[in-house]
Amino acid sequence: MSAINKATSRFRTAAWLEKAGYSPWVYLYRNLALGQVMYSQLPEYGMRNLKTQFKRPNWENKFPEMRRDVWRIMCVVQMPTHTDSVQVYQNLCRLRYMRDVLYKDEARKHRKLNDEGQVWFSGQFRPTYIQEAVADVRESLLHSGTAGPVKLVWEDLWRMGDKSHWETLPFNVKHTAIPKMGNVIRDEHAMLKQLALEANMDK
């Protein structure tokens, strides 16, 4: 996976994605060490993803490293059209900006805090960020304008949370799990290619 290539993380229009042969998908990667989540329009990511999505890093929300061994695919959002996928990606980035910059104090009120008033953590890992990302996926889908159907492929189905939250969306949403892999770093790119192959076969 070309995780360090700067060109992979530039914003892509729906027309560009379709012409280049990419699937109309949005990719969520989770940080194994910190619990943060990064969004990408492509099955790759680069430094620009981090710079545009982590605007106000601090000791509770550190600027994450661009290392392949600390990022793992968490969810693949499979949209029906490239226009839909771009809208969902932009919605996710806007919600991140609102949480971290525009309404930072308000967002903090809804986060689990420890006895010292800090965002709850174990080691350096803060599960709050993953939970917020899952909630933002639902909100981004709701305001995407899509007619569906939408397929969400999770690393584990329990990541989706309570199924009832998804059933209220005004279009069909299907949840499946990513096939288990042996060597995660080696096999992840192959797994994403297999998902794309299966999606093309279903058309």
Side-chain angles (χ1 to χ4, degrees):
M1 183 178 294
S2 304
I4 312 300
N5 187 346
K6 293 181 180 179
T8 65
S9 57
R10 293 202 305 264
F11 173 76
R12 304 296 186 176
T13 65
W16 186 96
L17 290 167
E18 187 168 11
K19 183 177 180 180
Y22 284 99
S23 299
W25 299 354
V26 180
Y27 304 83
L28 282 73
Y29 295 88
R30 68 179 179 92
N31 189 294
L32 301 178
L34 303 176
Q36 297 158 320
V37 177
M38 169 175 55
Y39 311 126
S40 179
Q41 293 180 280
L42 307 179
E44 298 98 9
Y45 47 84
M47 183 56 70
R48 187 177 184 278
N49 293 93
L50 299 184
K51 289 183 176 179
T52 57
Q53 295 173 36
F54 296 90
K55 293 288 191 182
R56 298 287 176 84
N58 54 53
W59 73 274
E60 286 187 312
N61 191 14
K62 296 179 180 179
F63 190 85
E65 295 183 80
M66 181 51 66
R67 287 172 40 195
R68 291 180 60 189
D69 61 323
V70 298
W71 293 101
R72 179 176 296 177
I73 193 72
M74 185 181 91
C75 181
V76 181
V77 182
Q78 300 183 354
M79 302 300 296
T81 72
H82 289 85
T83 298
D84 289 339
S85 71
V86 170
Q87 187 62 61
V88 168
Y89 175 77
Q90 290 180 312
N91 288 351
L92 285 168
C93 291
R94 289 191 189 103
L95 286 171
R96 171 70 53 78
Y97 185 78
M98 291 171 69
R99 286 185 188 278
D100 292 350
V101 180
L102 295 182
Y103 305 108
K104 184 177 180 179
D105 293 339
E106 183 64 26
R108 189 177 184 83
K109 295 177 182 178
H110 300 282
R111 290 172 170 167
K112 181 180 179 180
L113 306 179
N114 62 19
D115 294 338
E116 286 73 40
Q118 305 158 344
V119 176
W120 190 92
F121 63 93
S122 176
Q124 296 187 55
F125 188 86
R126 290 174 168 81
T128 290
Y129 301 128
I130 292 176
Q131 295 163 359
E132 289 176 349
V134 174
D136 286 351
V137 169
R138 184 196 176 282
E139 192 70 10
S140 296
L141 290 173
L142 180 62
H143 296 283
S144 66
T146 186
V150 174
K151 184 177 181 180
L152 299 178
V153 187
W154 301 92
E155 63 168 325
D156 285 296
L157 282 175
W158 63 267
R159 288 267 181 219
M160 65 184 277
D162 193 326
K163 190 175 181 180
S164 63
H165 296 309
W166 303 95
E167 292 175 342
T168 57
L169 290 171
F171 44 81
N172 182 52
V173 179
K174 180 180 180 181
H175 301 270
T176 63
I178 292 174
K180 296 298 182 182
M181 300 170 287
N183 184 310
V184 174
I185 296 176
R186 183 192 66 199
D187 295 343
E188 189 167 89
H189 192 53
M191 177 272 296
L192 292 174
K193 282 189 173 181
Q194 181 63 28
L195 284 181
L197 178 62
E198 292 173 359
N200 289 332
M201 292 176 63
D202 290 341
K203 290 181 179 180

